[in-house]
Amino acid sequence: GYACDALRLGRLERAIVVGAEDLNGETLVPFSAMRALSPQADPRAASRPFDAARDGFVGAGGAVAMIVETAEAAAARGARPLAEIAGWGEAADGYSVATSHPEGVGLQLAMRRALAEADVAPEAVDWVCAHATSTPVGDKAEALALRALFGTGSGRPLVSSTKALTGHPLSLAGVMEAAFCVLGIDERFVPGNPHLVTPDTACEGLELPRAS
């Protein structure tokens, strides 16, 4: 988002946005003390966003780099744009330093701001790449925010969390999932929710595909 703003303000023509997370005890153990990690040994039962039986997230590490540039800069180097950033949004509801507002107030506000900046109506959205990490509190708050914003009737977008397959890479999550969105748009596919068995009741009315 900040890279996009810098381009729009004319401060940059191109930015390389890098996200990285070194998976180690120092980054992961504090979440154990918060009881935010899944105790499951079976990978199929450990990371299952939006499932009624979810019990915490699975840590992950890695790195992703994205090139964000103006259309003119891309054309000058002969690059084929894979996707366009139409808008972005951020918000904080001030509810807690560790958990989301129970009804996802800040999450909903961030999405509304992104749609407003992009000048896109909620009903025009085809897919939401959810943050959902597989924690009981976080997934419920996000599901309620999605329901409030997109409704539960016809025309609602597909919703999926790629963390069912990758785990939660913490500070890497934002740029990694932005990259997944670019791949989905360019290759015309929507990731599914492969470990979802019984959706939480908070997800009632959301369109949660099981397979890609």
Side-chain angles (χ1 to χ4, degrees), residues 18 39-40 52 61 78 92 117 120 122 129 143 152 163 171 175 178 194-195 204-205:
V18 179
Q40 303 294 332
E117 184 176 285
V120 172
C129 184
T152 56
K163 292 184 180 70
S171 57
V175 66
H195 299 157
E204 185 177 354

Side-chain angles (χ1 to χ4, degrees), residues 159-202:
V159 176
S160 59
S161 172
T162 55
K163 292 184 180 70
L165 296 175
T166 67
H168 182 17
L170 305 173
S171 57
L172 167 61
V175 66
M176 181 184 75
E177 286 163 10
F180 289 158
C181 287
V182 172
L183 291 173
I185 291 169
D186 185 53
E187 299 182 15
R188 302 185 65 80
F189 75 95
V190 172
N193 295 282
H195 299 157
L196 181 63
V197 178
T198 304
D200 189 301
T201 54

Side-chain angles (χ1 to χ4, degrees), residues 30-38 55-56 135-136:
F31 291 100
S32 178
M34 295 169 61
R35 298 182 180 178
L37 300 179
S38 172
D55 55 11
T135 59

